[in-house]
Amino acid sequence: MYTQAMDIAPKEERKVVRSLQEAELERRFDEKIDAGDFIEAKDWMPEHYRKTLVRQISQHAHSEIVGMLPEGNWVTRAPTLKRKTILLAKIQDEAGHGLYLYSAAETLGTSRDEMLAALHSGKAKYSSIFNYPTLTWADVGVIGWLVDGAAIMNQVPLTRCSYAPYARAMVRVCREESFHQRQGFDALNVMMREGTPEQRAMVQDATNRWWWPSLMMFGPPDGESVHGAQSARWGIKRISNDDLRQKFIDATAEQAKVLGVTLPDPELKWNETRGHYDFGPIDWSEFWRVVGGDGPCNKERLGARVKAWDDGAWVREAALAHARKQATRQQAA
Amino acid sequence: MSQAPASPSPQALEAAAREWPLWEVFVRPKAGLDHKHCGSLHAADAAMAVQLAREVYTRRQEGSSIWVVPSSQITASDPGDKDMYFDPMEDKVYRHPTFYQLPEAVDHM
């Protein structure tokens, strides 16, 4: 999910006047980037690079955390114990991914609380995809297949991101994410092979509803992304939105055939000359509406996060008070 | 290695006073191997840090042992001194076995 943060933030003005020393540091920084070297937390970096990364990594982390909510909706209603344990493991992974990423962002000099405050106030965004509801059990499978599938496409290039703590976190995330996509496809496949006509219709319906929002996860078309060029220059985002989207469509169109569902795009068609699938226009007004806060579940999702944070305040304080008391006792003894 | 912020903002410093402290996590993948740094996390105390490290970093049996260290306790070399600090070893090729050309009969030595 999750490079949307780079696309949807307003363009910031960069400082034009810099000291001679800063210019020299930036020249050396650029050289390192060009040589394909990694940047570590304590290396010198341009302020704008730092800011871009804090925004990108923290919003990626928020996406993982908020991403637990649509699936959490189905934990108590999973059809079998097997599916329930799988779903729980997947949701726990998302929490873990959020934590790896928050830690990576903290190396840039921001605090965990600062990032969470930005999320809770609505200043920081998370992936637009999680503002859609999970209406049936098939949605859980489709999230694994399409949403996590799109996330993997997006995240694999991030394992080569120039900022090393982010790249390392992404290696870990990608290693675990493959299970998410496979379990989703498997859940759908069972319904398509062994299910009733109603269950098969449910899978088709969920596919219809999630297809276009999944394509929007890759962010606006390359021409409209205000940060694309700079992020590419700095080795933060190495493959463009449109290229990743095309790759996802090409892979998914074939998977849909195996599954036996129709993707809801009458213009979806293999183009021999291009060697890719052609596809119909994406409704970007919907994307901007959802990003802007007017999706089906924006209020509910943010409300759930704020409530969890507020309700947990006494636990955080009590644990800290307990730790301090223990430390004092130990010193006295 | 330390995950400690490079240059904390005033807001970050203020928040840090309220936050659970940051810990660095080291995991031994299996008996016989070294503990290896794998990330960091926030926890109120050491016991909680070990518990949370298990949940965050070893959900797939990635470890058989965990160390946690307060991030503030790690002293690191200065990346700015990297060249000055590590380059002196660059021209000491004689520290490597391949530097020595021996007769073929004993070259497996």
Side-chain angles (χ1 to χ4, degrees):
Chain A
M1 325 212 153
Y2 306 155
T3 49
Q4 276 178 7
M6 280 187 266
D7 299 313
I8 61 181
K11 199 167 174 64
E12 288 160 27
E13 289 305 317
R14 295 193 63 194
K15 262 194 306 181
V16 182
V17 184
R18 293 167 304 165
S19 70
L20 206 59
Q21 192 205 6
E22 203 180 322
E24 170 59 17
L25 285 168
E26 186 153 348
R27 192 189 60 75
R28 265 190 260 164
F29 175 86
D30 285 344
E31 256 175 30
K32 259 171 111 171
I33 297 274
D34 291 340
D37 283 351
F38 284 109
I39 307 299
E40 290 286 352
K42 294 193 170 177
D43 294 340
W44 185 90
M45 61 187 87
E47 246 346 273
H48 197 66
Y49 177 83
R50 184 185 299 276
K51 253 178 132 167
T52 302
L53 278 164
V54 166
R55 188 174 56 221
Q56 162 60 22
I57 303 173
S58 65
Q59 300 193 17
H60 192 160
H62 298 331
S63 300
E64 301 283 355
I65 298 299
V66 175
M68 292 193 283
L69 297 170
E71 298 184 305
N73 185 31
W74 282 91
V75 170
T76 57
R77 288 175 288 159
T80 64
L81 185 58
K82 175 183 145 188
R83 293 291 168 196
K84 184 190 271 202
T85 50
I86 291 171
L87 185 57
L88 277 170
K90 178 178 189 298
I91 293 171
Q92 197 193 9
D93 272 357
E94 308 296 3
H97 297 175
L99 294 178
Y100 307 153
L101 289 163
Y102 282 130
S103 295
E106 280 171 88
T107 63
L108 291 159
T110 181
S111 79
R112 183 75 57 100
D113 281 6
E114 250 181 306
M115 290 185 271
L116 291 177
L119 171 67
H120 297 160
S121 72
K123 191 179 144 217
K125 302 288 182 207
Y126 52 86
S127 181
S128 56
I129 194 76
F130 300 119
N131 289 318
Y132 292 87
T134 41
L135 302 180
T136 70
W137 169 250
D139 288 41
V140 174
V142 170
I143 286 180
W145 173 39
L146 295 181
V147 174
D148 290 313
I152 291 170
M153 285 284 175
N154 228 322
Q155 289 176 155
V156 167
L158 291 175
T159 60
R160 291 181 293 119
C161 170
S162 61
Y163 188 57
Y166 190 29
R168 285 195 288 268
M170 291 319 298
V171 168
R172 201 178 287 277
V173 168
C174 287
R175 207 183 290 147
E176 298 175 352
E177 198 86 49
S178 161
F179 136 65
H180 297 182
Q181 191 185 17
R182 292 174 69 96
Q183 66 81 33
F185 193 92
D186 177 63
L188 299 175
N189 201 33
V190 166
M191 281 192 272
M192 293 305 284
R193 298 282 161 275
E194 301 161 28
T196 61
E198 288 83 1
Q199 285 172 321
R200 282 195 290 276
M202 196 166 82
V203 174
Q204 181 63 59
D205 167 65
T207 305
N208 292 348
R209 283 182 289 108
W210 288 91
W211 174 248
W212 293 106
S214 298
L215 297 188
M216 293 174 200
M217 283 174 66
F218 295 94
D222 293 345
E224 291 168 34
S225 171
V226 288
H227 298 282
Q230 183 65 74
S231 291
R233 169 70 190 84
W234 276 335
I236 297 175
K237 191 173 193 299
R238 294 184 182 274
I239 306 183
S240 80
N241 294 352
D242 285 335
D243 287 351
L244 285 169
R245 187 168 14 246
Q246 182 71 62
K247 207 172 154 205
F248 174 73
I249 292 170
D250 291 346
T252 317
E254 295 299 319
Q255 293 161 0
K257 286 185 203 162
V258 176
L259 195 57
V261 295
T262 311
L263 296 174
D265 178 0
E267 293 177 46
L268 188 74
K269 196 166 167 272
W270 178 253
N271 182 327
E272 195 65 55
T273 345
R274 285 205 313 130
H276 290 293
Y277 275 88
D278 290 337
F279 54 97
I282 295 171
D283 179 5
W284 290 109
S285 65
E286 175 180 328
F287 171 77
W288 290 112
R289 213 165 50 239
V290 175
V291 166
D294 202 16
C297 300
N298 294 54
K299 284 202 180 70
E300 187 187 330
R301 300 287 185 242
L302 202 53
R305 284 314 311 156
V306 172
K307 182 175 185 308
W309 178 252
D310 290 346
D311 289 355
W314 71 271
V315 180
R316 294 192 298 277
E317 281 163 29
L320 212 48
H322 175 74
R324 281 179 186 142
K325 202 158 82 185
Q326 293 293 319
T328 319
R329 270 196 204 147
Q330 232 169 19
Q331 268 177 351
Chain B
M1 176 167 63
S2 168
Q3 302 277 302
S7 53
S9 64
Q11 295 94 317
L13 286 173
E14 190 200 310
R18 283 194 316 269
E19 282 179 359
W20 288 352
L22 194 63
W23 302 76
E24 299 303 318
V25 179
F26 300 80
V27 171
R28 184 202 296 285
K30 60 181 183 184
L33 298 179
D34 292 325
H35 283 80
K36 196 175 159 219
H37 182 247
C38 70
S40 51
L41 50 78
H42 289 271
D45 57 29
M48 187 196 259
V50 170
Q51 179 75 47
L52 295 183
R54 189 194 71 161
E55 306 299 336
V56 178
Y57 292 107
T58 66
R59 287 192 301 280
R60 289 174 177 77
Q61 286 193 300
E62 290 94 335
S64 62
S65 162
I66 293 171
W67 288 350
V68 295
V69 183
S71 304
S72 58
Q73 294 296 307
I74 288 183
T75 308
S77 64
D78 183 346
D81 291 345
K82 183 165 76 73
D83 296 347
M84 185 183 80
Y85 206 65
F86 296 105
D87 282 359
M89 263 59 88
E90 195 182 37
D91 56 3
K92 296 180 177 52
V93 282
Y94 48 84
R95 287 183 172 170
H96 297 276
T98 45
F99 178 72
Y100 303 93
Q101 298 227 323
L102 300 187
E104 205 170 311
V106 294
D107 202 26
H108 58 277
M109 184 187 286

